Each structure stands twice: as structure tokens, then as C-alpha cells.
Amino acid sequence: MEVGNLFRFIPLNQPPQRRHLHSPSFSSFPRTVTVNASLSSQGESGYRGPKPRKEWIADWVSNNDDLVRSVPIYVGGLSLLAVLFNRTVSGIAPVADASSSQSRADLLTLGLAVTNILNGLVWLSIRPKSISVVNPNGVECQTIASHLPDFVISELLWAWNSLSDVTCCRSLVIVYDGKCILQIGFAAASFSNGSDPLAVDTNKLIEGSLYQGVLKSASQSYLANLSLYPGKSELPFLPSNTQAVILQPLGDKGIAIIGGDTIRGFTSSDQAWITLIGENILTSSICLKSCLPSRHKEW
């Protein structure tokens, strides 16, 4: 079964359907998602499923983050003033008396007010770190192993085109049977010539713990924040500021390395879809048998 037949069942919010090319030109691939016209003609009245519910409170809190974080300070300050005002107008001696129930209640209220003020200060000082998309520090690369059939090239380029369109993927490297058969997207600059991409050292990659660990587990490995992993040094061919990486095994002889531009940018749906792509590339026996040549060509 060809890979294209399997992907016809992917929902509309998934990557666009592959189109075979007559020539392996990367620029000729479509970068738009085709939507079934019959669905749009039905209108909103044709949808009978559950409607999304708007969370008014959550939206208001999200839009007024600074105000919400300051609320404990205001509440604590007003409570403190209220206790002092009550102490003044009630005619009770300003000195706290342990035998007086009013004094004990005032002390408890003062403690709660001060706690609210301190809590508000903590909320204002500790904020979640904002996650933003970064521009890869590297050069664009479109390198594929030579002697691959045109339809195999179109399959690989379609996978890259789809990943770069619907996910945060900015780099894709496929290594199989000890050979790098695809390096596309952004790559680190070569040390000798800054305008050339750094080639993948497959021997060093295969000997690394990341490669061996993925093949041993036979399951996808997601490095959501690449800067926190010491194994980052085993991927020098990726841009230096690559934020996240997915390592997808291709059987017991290969691996697909997908680099992203956002920390935790790959969702669970993206991970499942990347696993499906890896499985379909693996089941294409013609593609795997074509991964033998060692020479490369660039477009």
C-alpha cells in the first residue's frame, strides 16, 4: 500500500494531501490546505455536534493578569485599614490585651491581612516565562541522497513540506542504514564556510547515546526543551538555537530527527502524526532499499 493511500483518511485539520510530482523540485510543492467545498456549503446550521463553551472567567483573568495578581495586596491593605479603624472608633485601648477577645480577634485579622499582602507581592514577583518562536541561527539546506527514485523523493519532500506547514518543524534529518538520506530546512553553518550547511556526521551520530537510546526503546523520544538535555552536543548539525527535537525511530536501522523553533511546540497530535509518518516511511520497502547510495546532490 502506498503512503499516499493511508494519508487520505487524515482529518481536514491535518497536513495537506500529497501530490505526486513530475520533477523533484522543492518549490513546486503546494503550501496550502485543501478544504472540501461541500463542508463549507453546509453552513453553520448543518453542524449538530457540541458547541464550544466560552469560559468568561478564565478569559477575563487571562486578559487582566496584572490586576488579578494585585488583588491580594488590595484585599490585605483594606483589611489592615479596617482593623485599625475599628480599633480606633470602638474605644478599646490601642495596646493589645491578651485577656480581651477583641484584641485576640484583631491580632488574627492583622495576621491574615499581612499574609494577603505578602501573597500578592509573591504573585507579582513570580511570573511564568513567556514562550516565543525563535528564528533558527543557521543556513537553509536542501540535500537529499542521490539515486533515489523520483516518487521516493516526492514522498520525502511531501513529508517535509507538511511538517513545516502545520507544526513548528524547521529542520528535518533522516538517517537510515548508516547514511544520511535527507537533510532539509535549517542547518548549522559549516565551520570552514559560513554559507554552507554543516553535514551530518552519521558515524558520530550513530555512536551517540541519543541514537542508541531511541533504537533500543523503539519509541519516539521528545526533547521538549533541548537546552536542558546534555545530549544536545550530539546534534551539532542542527541550528544552535533549536528549541525542541523529536527523535522518531525508523525500524532498527534508521531515525528521523525533527527540530522545532518553539519550546514544547510539538503537541500530542503532532507527535502522533510524526509517528504515523515514520511508520509509513518504514513500510515503504522501495524507499528503504533505495537508501544505499552514499553520494549526495543539492538543489
Side-chain angles (χ1 to χ4, degrees), residues 151-179:
F151 69 91
V152 174
I153 294 176
S154 66
E155 290 284 352
L156 296 175
L157 291 181
W158 174 85
W160 155 250
N161 191 46
S162 302
L163 286 172
S164 60
D165 276 349
V166 301
T167 71
C168 66
C169 172
R170 292 298 174 267
S171 305
L172 175 61
V173 175
I174 297 180
V175 176
Y176 190 83
D177 200 18
K179 306 294 181 182

Side-chain angles (χ1 to χ4, degrees), residues 210 221-226 229 231-232 235 243-247:
L210 289 179
S221 178
Y222 181 26
L223 309 182
N225 190 352
L226 186 60
Y229 293 88
K232 177 182 179 180
L235 307 172
Q243 302 296 296
V245 167
I246 287 183
L247 305 173

Side-chain angles (χ1 to χ4, degrees), residues 70 163 195 245 292:
S70 303
L163 286 172
S195 60
V245 167
L292 297 177

Side-chain angles (χ1 to χ4, degrees), residues 69-179:
R69 291 176 181 274
S70 303
V71 166
I73 297 179
Y74 297 140
V75 173
L78 291 176
S79 300
L80 185 60
L81 292 176
V83 172
L84 297 177
F85 178 77
N86 179 68
R87 189 84 178 183
T88 302
V89 300
S90 62
I92 303 175
V95 180
D97 184 5
S99 63
S100 172
S101 60
Q102 182 66 37
S103 296
R104 292 194 296 269
D106 290 345
L107 289 176
L108 179 60
T109 307
L110 288 175
L112 294 176
V114 172
T115 301
N116 272 333
I117 295 176
L118 295 177
N119 188 38
L121 293 175
V122 171
W123 282 11
L124 288 175
S125 61
I126 301 177
R127 295 174 179 268
K129 183 179 179 180
S130 60
I131 299 176
S132 58
V133 179
V134 302
N135 295 322
N137 293 332
V139 296
E140 291 193 56
C141 172
Q142 299 175 21
T143 304
I144 194 169
S146 60
H147 305 297
L148 290 177
D150 288 346
F151 69 91
V152 174
I153 294 176
S154 66
E155 290 284 352
L156 296 175
L157 291 181
W158 174 85
W160 155 250
N161 191 46
S162 302
L163 286 172
S164 60
D165 276 349
V166 301
T167 71
C168 66
C169 172
R170 292 298 174 267
S171 305
L172 175 61
V173 175
I174 297 180
V175 176
Y176 190 83
D177 200 18
K179 306 294 181 182

Side-chain angles (χ1 to χ4, degrees), residues 246-264:
I246 287 183
L247 305 173
Q248 176 62 43
L250 303 176
D252 57 353
K253 292 185 178 181
I255 188 175
I257 303 173
I258 301 102
D261 59 5
T262 309
I263 296 176
R264 295 185 293 275

